[in-house]
RNA sequence: GGCCGGUUGGCAGAAUGGCUCAUGCAGAGGAUUGCAAAUCCUUCUAUAUCGGUUCAAUUCCGGUACCGGCCUCCA
């Protein structure tokens, strides 16, 4: 089989380029995960869904056993510390609970587990080593019990975010600490007070700066050079810029990530999601309205690189699309699945910088074709291809019957009884009773569908 | 203020130097149905604006307007 050529938009080169892995037998991707201090919001969910599709594509093209996907968990951070001060809960309790919520959300959204979900606190020793290397290589200095990265020692600093030192100074809104050689210098290690999380280090009891963990963990798990580094576009500066500087400083003659991929920000009704605007939604809240798969589909209807505008109308629309897809599957429940490959057009669309909207349009085509198919053999083929294709997007993972009926057995029994009563009425051409039952159920959000073989029902 | 990205039909959202600008939702009409639902068929509506390059631009280049992001913690 000829290798499929993947194209990705690289932030460093600022254009779409062909993707060539360092080692096609071990394609390596690192994606910045959440800081575990609160329930995941919609933005926290969108990014992993996007990289999940990329992961699925990489696995398809290079083979699952030839892909290593790392997504970190930041469990040491001042936001966690603040949460601890606010709530009185222990740091451990906060991070464990938030981590578990996150994993649950990811599972609901059908995000495949990465090969590694490393936690920052498990790699402190590696971070300390990294700081030592940076000091030894002349890229860092100590000041006021802190260790700082010396950006002037790295002439290429600023190239990822496409900004020069001068620009950064012009735009700086923060007060510059006077112990910094350059205002852009950032913290590698800082001291902790007795009650704060900390570790012993050559620079005293303290904790790492935010950016350090990703440099340390990617190096440890993927090597100093690896293929793809991803995250939200808000991380380009300063986070990724700083990671890049640290890693290249610590490991001279390496490139760190060879491809930088960033996802567009999520907005709510056209404006940035923020707590102060009152348009802040957690994944949990949104999933009370519609199933997780609808949210997943919705995320994929916009190209990942574009800003994504979330609306509840859009979410509802996504649910309606899935209803259509599951309708097609429901009608073919008795049709066996056969060995099938995903639609090549969908692979092609995804390989072209993850064009999920185009891929979804082909999914629609396939569903339409399936709905029109006559014989069972043809249907089996089409259904199987549809499922294989949907898998690439992580969609259609629910049972079609459960999708429409839910799992409430008591309710199911009650509905079935009413349907039987209505069937009797229909037999006697008692249309008034038949319609009355239809209306009773309709008010409860249950739609009846008559067919030559009997009546089925759905929740809408 | 600096840097970056965007502006396609009622809405969502792809693609493309030229032939009818995909797909979905919504709308209209029809088939089917006891009624309905689902499905199928047909169908209306768009490339922000002003210039330039070109035989030809929505697509390339430049200006303008508007929107968003980043410059500070952020997926």
């Amino acid at each position: 089989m000829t290798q499929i050529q993947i194209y990705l938009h690289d932030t460093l080169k600022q254009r779409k380029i062909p993707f060539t892995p360092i080692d096609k037998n071990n394609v390596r991707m690192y994606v910045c995960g959440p800081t575990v201090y609160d329930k995941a919001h919609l933005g926290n969910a969108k990014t992993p869904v996007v990289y999940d599709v990329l992961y699925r594509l990489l696995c398809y093209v290079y083979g699952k056993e030839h892909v290593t996907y790392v997504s970190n968990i930041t469990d040491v951070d001042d936001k966690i510390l603040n949460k601890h001060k606010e709530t009185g809960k222990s740091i451990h309790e906060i991070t464990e609970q938030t981590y578990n919520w996150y994993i649950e959300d990811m599972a609901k959204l059908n995000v495949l587990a990465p090969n590694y979900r490393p936690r920052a606190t498990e790699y402190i020793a590696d971070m300390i080593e990294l700081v030592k290397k940076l000091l030894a290589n002349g890229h860092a200095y100590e000041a006021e019990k802190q260790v700082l990265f010396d950006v002037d020692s790295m002439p290429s600093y600023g190239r990822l975010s496409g900004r020069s030192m001068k620009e950064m100074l012009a735009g700086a809104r923060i007060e510059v600490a006077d112990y910094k050689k350059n205002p852009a210098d950032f913290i590698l290690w800082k001291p902790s007070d007795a009650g704060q999380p900390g570790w012993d280090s050559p620079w005293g009891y303290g904790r790492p700066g935010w950016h350090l963990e990703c440099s340390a963990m990617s190096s440890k798990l993927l090597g100093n050079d690896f293929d793809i580094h991803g995250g939200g576009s808000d991380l380009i500066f300063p986070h990724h810029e700083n990671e890049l500087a640290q890693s290249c400083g610590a490991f001279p003659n390496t490139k760190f990530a060879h491809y930088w991929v960033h996802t567009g920000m999520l907005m709510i009704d056209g404006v940035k999601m923020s707590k102060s605007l009152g348009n802040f939604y957690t994944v949990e809240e949104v999933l009370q309205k519609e199933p997780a798969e609808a949210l997943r589909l919705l995320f994929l209807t916009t190209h990942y690189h574009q800003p994504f505008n979330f609306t509840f109308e859009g979410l509802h629309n996504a649910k309606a699309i899935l209803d259509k897809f599951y309708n097609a599957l429901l009608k073919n429940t008795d049709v066996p699945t056969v060995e099938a490959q995903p639609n090549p057009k969908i692979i092609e669309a995804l390989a072209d910088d993850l064009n999920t909207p185009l891929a979804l349009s082909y999914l629609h085509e396939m569903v339409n074709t399936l709905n029109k198919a006559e014989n069972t053999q043809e249907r089996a083929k089409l259904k199987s291809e549809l499922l294989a294709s949907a898998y690439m997007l992580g969609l259609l993972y629910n049972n079609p019957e459960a999708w429409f009926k839910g799992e409430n057995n008591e309710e199911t029994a009650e509905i079935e009884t009413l349907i039987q009563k209505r069937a009797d009425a229909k037999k006697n051409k008692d249309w008034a009773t038949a319609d009355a039952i239809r209306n009773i159920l309709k008010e409860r959000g249950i739609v009846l569908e008559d067919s030559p073989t009997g009546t089925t029902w759905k929740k809408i």
Side-chain angles (χ1 to χ4, degrees), chain A residues 33-38 44 72-80 98 210 213:
Chain A
T35 301
V36 280
Y37 70 104
D38 211 343
N44 286 323
N72 68 296
I73 300 290
T74 301
D75 61 353
V76 51
D77 184 278
D78 287 355
K79 286 195 289 294
I80 300 170
T98 312
W210 173 35
E213 58 173 284

Side-chain angles (χ1 to χ4, degrees), chain A residues 174-446:
Chain A
I174 42 164
E175 294 247 343
V176 176
D178 53 11
Y179 55 79
K180 287 187 178 181
K181 286 204 220 165
N182 183 312
D185 289 350
F186 55 91
I187 290 171
L188 297 170
W189 191 266
K190 61 180 165 188
S192 291
D193 296 336
Q196 294 177 330
W199 294 262
D200 288 322
S201 81
W203 318 284
Y205 181 74
R207 58 190 193 276
W210 173 35
H211 318 295
L212 199 56
E213 58 173 284
C214 293
S215 288
M217 295 190 289
S218 62
S219 158
K220 183 90 173 185
L221 295 167
L222 297 175
N224 298 337
D225 279 277
F226 58 95
D227 295 296
I228 298 167
H229 192 127
S233 62
D234 53 342
L235 296 181
I236 295 171
F237 187 89
H239 187 51
H240 287 166
E241 191 71 62
N242 292 353
E243 278 182 42
L244 179 61
Q246 283 165 357
S247 291
C248 291
F251 310 109
N253 303 318
T254 61
K255 284 174 72 181
F256 193 45
H258 287 213
Y259 298 84
W260 289 89
V261 178
H262 290 99
T263 59
M265 289 294 94
L266 179 135
M267 304 195 295
I268 307 285
D269 297 323
V271 294
K272 184 179 171 143
M273 178 168 79
S274 81
K275 284 182 179 167
S276 59
L277 286 171
N279 64 352
F280 185 94
Y281 296 110
T282 64
V283 174
E284 188 186 38
E285 284 169 331
V286 168
L287 295 192
Q288 279 163 8
K289 300 255 184 184
E290 301 288 1
E293 190 175 355
L295 182 60
R296 180 174 177 113
L297 174 68
L298 181 62
F299 284 148
L300 299 178
T301 57
T302 301
H303 184 90
Y304 78 86
H305 203 250
Q306 301 280 111
F308 171 81
N309 189 28
F310 176 88
T311 62
F312 279 101
E313 191 190 353
L315 183 67
H316 188 73
N317 194 226
K319 163 70 163 57
I321 290 168
L322 287 168
D323 283 346
K324 178 184 158 183
F325 288 0
Y326 278 115
N327 250 321
L329 290 176
L330 193 63
K331 283 189 179 152
N332 290 284
T333 312
D334 51 338
V335 173
T337 42
V338 294
E339 184 85 19
Q341 284 295 310
N343 183 341
K345 288 202 284 187
I346 288 183
I347 299 298
E348 197 188 331
L350 294 178
D352 184 12
D353 197 28
L354 248 46
N355 193 338
T356 51
L358 190 60
L360 286 169
S361 78
Y362 294 133
L363 225 47
H364 278 283
E365 275 183 12
M366 295 176 83
V367 170
N368 290 339
T369 311
L370 176 60
N371 279 333
K372 281 182 270 189
E374 299 281 333
N375 68 66
T376 308
Q377 203 180 353
E378 199 183 347
R379 285 176 168 204
K381 183 168 171 282
L382 291 168
K383 176 185 171 185
S384 306
E385 281 174 3
L386 173 64
L387 288 171
S389 301
Y391 176 82
M392 295 304 299
L393 294 159
L395 295 173
L396 302 185
Y397 54 91
N398 285 295
N399 175 288
E401 268 202 46
W403 177 261
F404 290 113
K405 297 188 178 178
E407 307 276 352
N408 189 337
N409 292 328
E410 232 171 84
E411 191 183 21
T412 300
E414 190 194 341
I415 293 163
E416 303 284 357
T417 310
L418 283 169
I419 287 175
Q420 190 51 51
K421 271 190 193 164
R422 180 166 167 273
D424 295 340
K426 277 177 69 180
K427 216 176 263 177
N428 302 326
K429 295 205 192 283
D430 178 4
W431 306 127
T433 305
D435 287 352
I437 292 171
R438 179 191 287 289
N439 288 333
I440 288 165
L441 288 170
K442 193 178 176 184
E443 281 187 17
R444 288 172 50 179
I446 289 153

Side-chain angles (χ1 to χ4, degrees), chain A residues 6 8 19-32 51 54-55 57-59 62-71 114-116 217-230 254-261:
Chain A
I6 296 174
L8 293 171
F19 171 73
T20 310
I22 298 162
D23 175 5
K24 67 182 170 67
N25 290 312
N26 185 17
V27 181
R28 289 156 282 168
M29 175 161 76
Y30 185 95
V31 176
C32 286
Y51 290 101
L54 180 54
Y55 177 54
L57 179 68
L58 292 171
C59 289
Y62 297 101
K64 192 170 171 51
E65 65 281 14
H66 299 306
V67 181
T68 308
Y69 175 23
V70 177
S71 184
N115 300 88
Y116 300 95
M217 295 190 289
S218 62
S219 158
K220 183 90 173 185
L221 295 167
L222 297 175
N224 298 337
D225 279 277
F226 58 95
D227 295 296
I228 298 167
H229 192 127
T254 61
K255 284 174 72 181
F256 193 45
H258 287 213
Y259 298 84
W260 289 89
V261 178

